[in-house]
Amino acid sequence: MKVPLSRLWIDKNELIEIKKVLETGWLTKGPKNIELEKMISEYLGVKHVVCCSSCTTALHLALISLGIVSRVDEEPEVLVADYTYPATGHSVKYCGMKPVFVDIEPKTYNMDYKDLKKKINKKKTKAIIVVHTFGQAADMDKIMKIANKKNIPVIEDAACAMGSKYKGQYCGTIGKIGCFSMHATKGVGVGEGGLLVTNDDDIALRARSFGTFGLNTWSRENSKEFEIPVFENIGFNYKLSDLAAAVGIAQFRKLDKIIKKKNALARYWNKRLKEIDYIKAPYTRKGKGNIHNFQGYSCLVTPVVNRNKLIQLLKNNGIQCQIGTYCSYIQPCYNNIDDNCEISKDVFNRSIRLPMFYKLKREEIDYVIDVLKKIRDQVFI
């Protein structure tokens, strides 16, 4: 590919941190996990950070750790933003609950609070999972107002939103629990990895236990006498290796610099896309205290464009692109076709993610624009 969709910024700092781990011989979950958790905790201003093997496992732990209890005659439901990677809905299914998908706002691609209100079931709704799509913060004021009024806990799927802010507050720190991804395409990329953050002591304790086979690890660590481990719960092996945590530490130190550069690149993309009449640049929320980290640069093609053909034509010219993400309610694995999220479905069919990463050059954006001009007459339906 002449222009890849995404690429990690790796330098000597990652190698230095990995070398430290190799020298200790402690490759599994250990001191580097603790160091990374402390860094994230201080940065976000949250009390607890739990490293996990992925954002998907963080979401699973979040739901389990809420301690949701349902009567036998109920089918518990969790309201989920529809336009998201299936990991979000899957985490609900892992818990034996039903995801109910909520439509999105056409500008931000995030949960529509009006549809959220309509789909709350007084008896069945146990939680709300909000997604900060591509790093753009959801309208948390309206969503939290609805959730607090109904006493429904909010989990923020901030997989793409490390460093993004909503009115001065970091995404992932507004609801009861926040979950982040450390996938290679995210702001803190380690290949695979995740983070659960919360200010609730009990939730953090449960998340740590369930994420390590159900061990009572933390009561033992604080004890002055040796104790034989006790398995208090049926937990999971959701640990993060210290090698991955070490890469995360080096990546995290670059985060603010990466976000600043991506915002500059997004402005240049916005400027150049004005020359392309069949692609609309993404919306960015204005206002003091709002920060979009531009994890991805996802646009919409006009309705008369064959989006899939456009992606293939760009690929033929050495430009890697992708759809934005998925419309969840139409996926066969959920059988939720009655959820009717038409805006999400439309965005799913018309979205295209263009290259966005720290080392992307303006000359590469210029090349993409030149190709978009060259292939214009071939993309219409």
Side-chain angles (χ1 to χ4, degrees):
M1 285 293 168
K2 292 181 181 178
V3 188
L5 178 65
S6 181
R7 181 181 290 158
L8 267 179
W9 173 21
I10 300 288
D11 57 29
K12 64 179 181 180
N13 293 295
E14 281 78 10
L15 297 175
I16 290 169
E17 290 297 333
I18 289 172
K19 186 172 182 287
K20 290 177 184 177
V21 176
L22 295 175
E23 286 174 347
T24 67
W26 196 329
L27 306 186
T28 58
K29 184 173 183 176
K32 284 295 176 184
N33 269 251
I34 296 170
E35 184 179 345
L36 178 59
E37 288 178 355
K38 184 180 179 183
M39 289 175 70
I40 302 290
S41 174
E42 291 174 353
Y43 180 84
L44 295 177
V46 291
K47 195 171 180 182
H48 302 285
V49 177
V50 181
C51 287
C52 312
S53 55
S54 69
C55 187
T56 309
T57 57
L59 286 165
H60 187 199
L61 289 176
L63 287 163
I64 296 171
S65 300
L66 282 173
I68 295 170
V69 178
S70 178
R71 295 197 338 236
V72 176
D73 60 339
E74 293 176 352
E75 183 183 17
E77 297 176 349
V78 176
L79 299 181
V80 179
D82 185 75
Y83 189 57
T84 181
Y85 196 78
T88 316
H90 281 20
S91 67
V92 178
K93 298 290 282 185
Y94 297 157
C95 297
M97 296 187 282
K98 179 183 177 182
V100 174
F101 295 105
V102 179
D103 211 350
I104 61 168
E105 299 172 342
K107 289 200 301 185
T108 66
Y109 314 144
N110 287 323
M111 181 180 278
D112 179 1
Y113 74 94
K114 295 176 185 176
D115 197 43
L116 173 67
K117 283 204 301 192
K118 291 177 186 176
K119 290 178 176 173
I120 289 175
N121 184 304
K122 187 176 180 180
K123 290 185 177 180
K124 294 184 177 182
T125 302
K126 303 301 178 182
I128 298 168
I129 301 182
V130 180
V131 180
H132 301 296
T133 315
F134 309 129
Q136 172 100 272
D139 193 342
M140 293 305 291
D141 280 352
K142 291 185 174 69
I143 291 167
M144 291 304 298
K145 184 177 180 180
I146 294 166
N148 290 336
K149 186 176 180 180
K150 300 287 185 178
N151 196 29
I152 302 171
V154 172
I155 298 170
E156 293 176 72
D157 182 343
C160 301
M162 180 61 78
S164 294
K165 283 186 176 182
Y166 176 78
K167 296 184 177 179
Q169 192 166 355
Y170 281 111
C171 291
T173 68
I174 303 168
K176 195 77 171 175
I177 305 172
C179 298
F180 295 89
S181 173
M182 292 190 289
H183 185 271
T185 61
K186 305 304 192 292
V188 180
V190 305
E192 287 289 353
L195 301 160
L196 180 151
V197 307
T198 184
N199 286 309
D200 188 298
D201 295 344
D202 292 333
I203 287 175
L205 194 65
R206 287 194 289 267
R208 291 191 184 279
S209 175
F210 280 114
T212 51
F213 299 100
L215 280 168
N216 65 336
T217 308
W218 290 269
S219 62
R220 289 191 298 111
E221 285 181 355
N222 295 325
S223 175
K224 293 181 180 179
E225 297 181 6
F226 172 76
E227 293 182 32
I228 297 174
V230 175
F231 294 86
E232 297 176 333
N233 302 291
I234 301 297
F236 307 88
N237 183 8
Y238 286 169
K239 301 188 299 294
L240 184 72
S241 76
D242 256 25
L243 279 172
V247 176
I249 288 166
Q251 286 279 299
F252 182 72
R253 291 182 182 133
K254 306 173 185 176
L255 179 62
D256 288 340
K257 194 172 182 179
I258 291 171
I259 293 173
K260 185 177 180 180
K261 176 70 178 296
K262 282 187 171 182
N263 271 265
L265 290 167
R267 289 192 292 271
Y268 191 67
W269 266 122
N270 294 345
K271 178 183 175 182
R272 292 306 315 269
L273 277 176
K274 290 177 181 178
E275 302 168 33
I276 307 300
D277 62 357
Y278 60 91
I279 299 180
K280 184 180 179 182
Y283 167 84
T284 304
R285 180 181 285 108
K286 308 298 181 185
K288 186 178 180 181
N290 293 320
I291 295 177
H292 190 336
N293 75 358
F294 281 101
Q295 178 271 331
Y297 188 82
S298 189
C299 309
L300 290 181
V301 301
T302 58
V304 293
V305 166
N306 184 329
R307 188 271 316 274
N308 294 353
K309 184 178 181 181
L310 172 59
I311 290 174
Q312 185 60 49
L313 287 168
L314 288 168
K315 181 180 178 182
N316 294 346
N317 284 273
I319 301 163
Q320 187 179 23
C321 294
Q322 187 54 273
I323 65 169
T325 191
Y326 292 85
C327 173
S328 295
Y329 88 101
I330 63 172
Q331 302 305 321
C333 61
Y334 299 123
N335 193 27
N336 277 33
I337 199 68
D338 292 337
D339 284 353
N340 191 27
C341 303
E342 290 302 312
I343 295 174
S344 175
K345 187 177 179 181
D346 178 60
V347 170
F348 165 63
N349 287 322
R350 295 198 290 123
S351 63
I352 179 170
R353 282 183 64 189
L354 298 175
M356 174 61 81
F357 52 94
Y358 179 79
K359 289 194 173 183
L360 180 66
K361 299 173 183 173
R362 287 191 172 198
E363 293 80 8
E364 291 173 311
I365 295 175
D366 293 337
Y367 172 70
V368 177
I369 295 298
D370 289 342
V371 172
L372 289 171
K373 290 177 179 178
K374 183 179 75 172
I375 64 176
R376 183 186 183 279
D377 293 339
Q378 303 176 57
V379 300
F380 294 102
I381 297 171

